[in-house]
Amino acid sequence: MSAWVPVIGLEVHVQLATDTKLFCGCLSRFGAEPNTLTCPVCTGQPGALPVLNERALELAVRAALALGCAVADWSKFDRKNYFYCDLPKGYQISQYDRPLCTGGTGGGIRLSSGRLVRLNRIHMEEDAGKAIHDRGPRTLVDLNRAGVPLIEAVSEADLASAAQAYEYLTALKEVLEYAGVSDCDMEKGSLRCDVNVSVHPEGEGWRTKVEVKNLNSFRNVEAAIEYEIRRQVAAYEGGDPARYPVQETRLFDAQAGVTRSMRGKEDESDYRYFPEPDLPPFHVDAAFRARQAALLPEMPKAKRRRYQEELGLSEYDAGVLTAARDVASFFEAVAARTGRAKEAANWVSNSILAGLSDAAVEAATIADLPFGPEALAEVLELVERGTITKTAGRQVVAHMLAAGGEPAAIVAELGLEQVQDSGRIEEWCRAALAGKDRIALDVKAGNLKALGAAIGSVMKLSGGSADPEVVRETLLRIIREEL
Amino acid sequence: MSDVRELDATELARRIASGETSAAEALRSALAAIDTQDGALHAFLRVDREAALERARALDAAQRRGEPLGALHGVPVALKSNMCIADRETNCASRILAGYRPPYTATFVQRLLDAGAIPLGHTNMDEFAMGSSSENSAFGPTRNPWDLARTPGGSSSGSAVAVASGMCPLALGSDTGGSVRQPAALCGVAGFKPTYGRVSRYGLIAFGSSLDQVSPFARSVRDLELATSVISGADPRDSTCVDAPPLAPEEPREGLAGLRVGIPAEALGAGLERGVRRAFDAACAELAALGADCVPVSLAHLEAAIPTYYVVATAEASSNLARYEGVRYGARVPGDGTLQGMFAATRAAGFGAEVKRRILLGTYVLSAGYYEAWYGRALKVRRLIADDFETAFESVDLIATPTSPCVAFALGERVDDPLAMYQSDVLTVPASLAGLPAVSVPCGFAAQGSQSNDGNDGGNGGLPVGLQLVGPTLADARVLAVARAFEEAGGHRRLPPVRARSEGAVT
Amino acid sequence: MSHPASRPAREPDVELVRRTAALARLSIDDAEARELGREFASILEHFRALQSLDAGDARPMTSPTERADVVRPDEPRESLPRERLLAGAPEPCDGFYAVPKTVEKDA
């Protein structure tokens, strides 16, 4: 049996992070009460006209540049005509034959294997509204989303597996999020993905491609592709040409893990594109592109390389810290202040990120933190100077996560200043050892774990403020001399 | 008591401002004229009587308080039914928009309001501005006050008639391929289509987006200047609106010495009625007598103008009218109960025959496999037509043609022959395609029909003929200034012999 | 991307009218389809002038507008109150526009 080669392309729609819609001043926002963010323009009232949002254009150009693509000198909008209940004008303002960005310039996403997934084109278009089919006997239409600015990024069919598609999407999301173009949140619908899949025997030409829609997570994209590849291969291997895959659009049923033909869909693909007469063409000159390029931050790949090569972090740590742009910024600010990157990395990963995923902590992301990187840097400084122990430091951070506040003030309030007073330490050590002859015996026998436990007890008794070195020495002395 | 039938808007506004009359008095005159005549003429689809009276009272009170007066303070104005006024039914003379009340007011209407004008209501038109006679209105035709058995032209039929019959001195229409100029010519009033983009289209219900322009009707050219200066100017809500201040009229001219006027041979072809030709020739002689230099020019691609126009306009219309499908506003017919079935049934029931014809034509010329041959080609020929004008304007300042190849034709005469109807626009569509400013001014009278050549050019049986002047892009002020000089020297203004009574007796 | 290659020019037939009407969501009956087919044929025949002209490589003119680069700042402008828009809707329902249940077109 010859090997089957999958050929996969992805079309990704991404909502641009503007305040308002593409062609009108309504807020572009998720989760509002239905039909409360609309106006004559985005509801297609007779006589209303579109006007282009300049920030949408800026972000679209930034996205193209971040992906390494060339931007056209001038571009225009076209009308894509079709009828649906969520399309108020009966046409979508999109781009057809002069998109903002065409491929062929080396732009795209390079996967970890080295494979370059090229971008065929990136264009701007307005989103449609939402049609809700599962609330009662009628379909309900909400036009809040109608007119939200999108870019559509179409890849070449350069992907060869579901896993590659997953990696591509992850990388694409990362780049666009870093560039500040979009929050790329599939759950909120700010990133949507359709896939095109075909298979052919190795060495032969490409066969019929099938489109799959309704994919609402990266995992679902992966699963849908895997299923579709299996389905198509099975159909061809079945040998009956009547059952070979046909060019069509299928929906992914996440529950069942299968793709299904869209029943009753008349595949009307004659969109009668023509240039949008209500919108004049627009230019993107070199100066404009340069301004947008200047606003691009260091991209994740480059950043990860720098963290490893210049700051000496591990690949894993670099990955964790660059997963989101604001985490990286936070980390870099702490590292810059303390001058100790590895230490900063540990604290950000273990105290901050871990804290954010703690249900008891209200803040869910770095942006929600009631304190900034300077505060964490200060904690690190206090530990470094010996003013507080590491344990106490973690306590301070935990306090800040819960209630904000300043490190120095918290230290004072909780009495966390490292105690080196031998008298007090001696008291705590004796208290920790009281009635625990076992410990003394174990330690004398060479069991240092027991010593560690004893140190831990003393730290607890002292509220974390005892100097662990002094504790250790004191415990050993007491054990040696007295027990 | 001022009789609005006699006064133009400029004079009426002056008399109101000076206290010789009031907004309320002027409005009462207008309403009286509507009451006696509109039964027979059917210029209006709806008169907002109470709202207008209230507004007139408020305007008079403001004047008494010494508040500054807008340029059109107290002037009653009629608006075509495709012009959005918030909460007032704006139905484009179509069943599909019966009962539709826009949630907003058009920019140009707001400017009229800000200038103190009194909107009288909405006038009749060909459905969605598609037509040249008002016979495509879903609510019955409008009649020409010069002869009730004839059409007033279209599509801005009611607005033309409101002014021609003296119901009000000013009306707004929309001109896509001649829909203000042609009815102006057929009704013996002045009508002006500005340079494309000179007036905002925000709030004008679209037919042909790259062609539509809000265009005023008046009984004097100085009124056209006044109206245009009020409604024109930059509007951030319309991306195609020229970013310039409102029109500033030129100083009135003493004669036309030094003006070069081009007369395209291609416009004087076989389709022109003899009476129209005679009146046009006489008008050219008048221009010459005023000092203008009339010379032949060539607009080589003129014969392709009608097909080009109809391909472009119907393509745009097929898309602009896709929003009328019964989801968010307007009529809805359930059809077979499915969504797409509802769309098809709603549109089939709501649109008239001509609108359907044009939507289908427009859909066809954009459809896969036909785009290049039709729409794609039309856009190229459009460029050629625009280039012809540009070339001509290298040697002349303005171009003159008759506005319409014929005088007002009988109701029913062309309604079954779309092509014959389309030919009404042959002289007006070129300026629309090129986006150039164009005015129609009355220039005489003629008997109908190329057959009758009795040389009657002003007798009682004559019907109005219009002279069209076209200028280069953004030469709006010059076009109007020349038209004004022609009008004031020529004395062609006349009021129609009104024979209708409010009971609607038609002779 | 560009428009599909031209099909050979031919007179529109009833089938074509029907397909075009379907594309335009206009239901027409047989009599209308035949009538429109005739009208189309006649109109398009008259429009042949367009075909026989040598347009050369004239630059297509979508619009007479000479404007370009028209943009607006990304600043909010008040939306309309929902009631205002739904008041005129054929079937308002709980703050939505209701329509017949439909096969899911896309997410």
Side-chain angles (χ1 to χ4, degrees), chain B residues 294-317:
Chain B
C294 298
V295 297
V297 291
S298 175
L299 295 175
H301 299 93
L302 212 60
E303 72 135 5
I306 286 280
T308 303
Y309 169 78
Y310 275 95
V311 168
V312 172
T314 58
E316 292 178 349

Side-chain angles (χ1 to χ4, degrees), chain B residues 301 304 308 376-386, chain C residues 50 53 55 58:
Chain B
H301 299 93
T308 303
R377 181 148 257 278
L379 291 187
K380 291 185 182 173
V381 178
R382 182 178 194 171
R383 173 75 63 193
L384 295 177
I385 291 171
Chain C
L50 209 49
L53 251 173

Side-chain angles (χ1 to χ4, degrees), chain A residues 57-136:
Chain A
L57 177 58
E58 289 169 2
L59 292 181
V61 170
R62 228 180 280 180
L65 296 174
L67 290 165
C69 298
V71 176
D73 288 330
W74 72 269
S75 185
K76 66 168 173 63
F77 288 98
D78 299 286
R79 293 190 184 179
K80 177 179 181 181
N81 299 280
Y82 65 95
F83 288 85
Y84 196 55
C85 55
D86 67 2
L87 193 69
K89 296 187 293 294
Y91 57 87
Q92 176 196 32
I93 299 180
S94 176
Q95 295 191 291
Y96 182 60
D97 57 347
R98 265 235 71 125
L100 187 64
C101 170
T102 46
T105 52
I109 298 278
R110 195 173 290 279
L111 304 180
S112 56
S113 64
R115 174 188 289 256
L116 174 67
V117 184
R118 299 162 299 160
L119 275 167
N120 174 277
R121 60 187 270 144
I122 302 177
H123 72 250
M124 298 173 65
E125 61 184 25
E126 54 175 350
D127 210 341
K130 245 176 128 84
I132 296 158
H133 307 289
D134 53 7
R135 265 179 71 155

Side-chain angles (χ1 to χ4, degrees), chain C residues 48-70:
Chain C
R48 285 238 162 270
L50 209 49
Q51 306 302 331
S52 47
L53 251 173
D54 175 19
D57 48 17
R59 225 174 6 111
M61 182 179 182
T62 301
S63 161
T65 189
E66 284 169 2
R67 299 207 70 188
D69 308 313
V70 182

Side-chain angles (χ1 to χ4, degrees), chain B residues 181-497:
Chain B
R181 288 165 286 157
Q182 183 249 19
L186 268 50
C187 291
V189 294
F192 174 60
K193 183 198 82 65
T195 297
Y196 179 81
R198 200 67 183 87
V199 179
S200 165
R201 288 182 298 121
Y202 186 78
L204 176 70
I205 298 179
F207 156 23
S209 312
S210 73
L211 300 154
D212 292 340
Q213 269 296 276
V214 175
S215 306
F217 288 101
R219 285 197 292 279
S220 66
V221 177
R222 68 179 183 172
D223 275 4
L224 295 179
E225 291 174 324
L226 175 59
T228 308
S229 70
V230 169
I231 61 177
S232 60
D235 182 11
R237 292 188 190 263
D238 176 356
S239 303
T240 59
C241 186
V242 174
D243 188 13
L247 176 88
E250 281 183 10
E251 283 304 310
R253 293 188 171 215
E254 286 291 335
L256 301 174
L259 187 77
R260 299 164 302 166
V261 177
I263 297 165
E266 296 89 354
L268 303 177
L272 226 48
E273 280 180 358
R274 294 217 208 181
V276 170
R277 177 66 193 264
R278 293 180 79 89
F280 176 70
D281 288 343
C284 290
E286 286 176 43
L287 287 170
L290 285 167
D293 193 13
C294 298
V295 297
V297 291
S298 175
L299 295 175
H301 299 93
L302 212 60
E303 72 135 5
I306 286 280
T308 303
Y309 169 78
Y310 275 95
V311 168
V312 172
T314 58
E316 292 178 349
S318 71
S319 180
N320 285 327
L321 271 61
R323 64 192 67 198
Y324 305 110
E325 16 82 308
V327 174
R328 290 144 293 116
Y329 46 74
R332 175 192 284 196
V333 174
D336 67 2
T338 65
L339 179 71
Q340 302 290 344
M342 176 192 97
F343 291 163
T346 296
R347 292 158 63 78
F351 289 138
E354 181 62 31
V355 171
K356 283 186 196 168
R357 208 175 282 129
R358 295 198 193 191
I359 289 176
L360 289 173
L361 197 55
T363 304
Y364 171 76
V365 301
L366 289 174
S367 58
Y370 301 104
Y371 179 100
E372 284 307 332
W374 289 103
Y375 182 77
R377 181 148 257 278
L379 291 187
K380 291 185 182 173
V381 178
R382 182 178 194 171
R383 173 75 63 193
L384 295 177
I385 291 171
D387 288 347
D388 285 349
F389 274 106
E390 220 180 297
T391 305
F393 286 130
E394 283 165 12
S395 57
V396 296
D397 303 305
L398 292 179
I399 285 173
T401 73
T403 304
S404 164
C406 58
V407 295
F409 46 93
L411 288 164
E413 184 182 303
R414 298 187 186 190
V415 79
D416 293 323
D417 187 354
L419 273 169
M421 194 68 88
Y422 296 166
Q423 279 303 115
S424 317
D425 301 334
V426 65
L427 296 166
T428 47
V429 301
S432 304
L433 288 167
L436 304 175
V439 69
S440 178
V441 267
C443 70
F445 295 84
Q448 190 204 24
S450 42
Q451 298 87 354
S452 71
N453 182 23
D454 55 12
N456 179 3
D457 68 342
N460 241 352
L463 295 164
V465 177
L467 165 71
Q468 175 177 238
L469 295 171
V470 182
T473 191
L474 294 174
D476 300 53
R478 166 182 294 185
V479 168
L480 288 169
V482 172
R484 183 171 174 175
F486 171 84
E487 171 212 53
E488 289 177 355
H492 295 286
R493 270 180 67 185
R494 224 168 72 191
L495 286 168

